[in-house]
Amino acid sequence: MSGIIRLSQLPRLVLGAIGVLWALAGCAADGGISAEPPSASGEAQAMAEVQVPLLNTYWKLRQMGDGSHVSAFDNQPEPHLVLQSGSSRFHGAGGCNRLHGNYSLDGRWLRLSAVASTRMACPQGRRMEQMFLTTLAQVRSYSVQGQKLLLSDADGQVLLRFEAVYLR
């Protein structure tokens, strides 16, 4: 008897099917159901609107000043910073060597000090890394805008541009 539909159940089944079809038609009209996956640009826009914390975030260097975009060289660490909460210390990489130091934070003011790095010989990027280390000492303020971190000098000139990176 489990596979047999009774006549008394037929109106409920028809109404249920009509309800499901009506709901699906409404979702499709509203864009709720789509044959295509959500666009990457829509996902990127949603991520850009999320405010990332300054501390304990992996900040990948994207650009120094108004210069060209920074990228990592093969088999070398990408330039990045992580400001650790609770310790007033930061660590990262300059594109070749590991780096670390201290930071002080007061409102939007940020100062990086005692910047030190390892001294490994690298086939590429040594000049860019030196410029990065020198620029870190000039930082006086910061601004987090969504997934972006801007580090500026005392005059408000943007020195370094970073982007938050997440492990996948």
Side-chain angles (χ1 to χ4, degrees), residues 123-144:
Q124 299 173 314
R126 185 75 183 130
R127 192 173 126 193
M128 187 275 306
E129 181 177 70
Q130 270 311 121
M131 195 163 63
F132 178 44
L133 293 172
T134 302
T135 304
L136 286 175
Q138 299 170 18
V139 169
R140 295 296 178 266
S141 66
Y142 78 95
S143 172
V144 176

Side-chain angles (χ1 to χ4, degrees), residues 149-166:
L149 169 65
L150 306 176
L151 299 183
S152 303
D153 65 11
D155 296 326
Q157 180 73 28
V158 176
L159 301 172
L160 301 165
R161 299 170 195 276
F162 294 84
E163 182 176 37
V165 173
Y166 301 94

Side-chain angles (χ1 to χ4, degrees), residues 5 22-23 26 37 44 49 59 62 83 85 92 98 103 116 123 138 160 162-163 167:
I5 299 174
W22 180 71
E49 295 172 3
W59 293 107
R62 286 296 192 186
L83 285 78
S85 64
R98 292 184 312 272
Y103 72 88
Q138 299 170 18
L160 301 165
F162 294 84
E163 182 176 37
L167 298 176

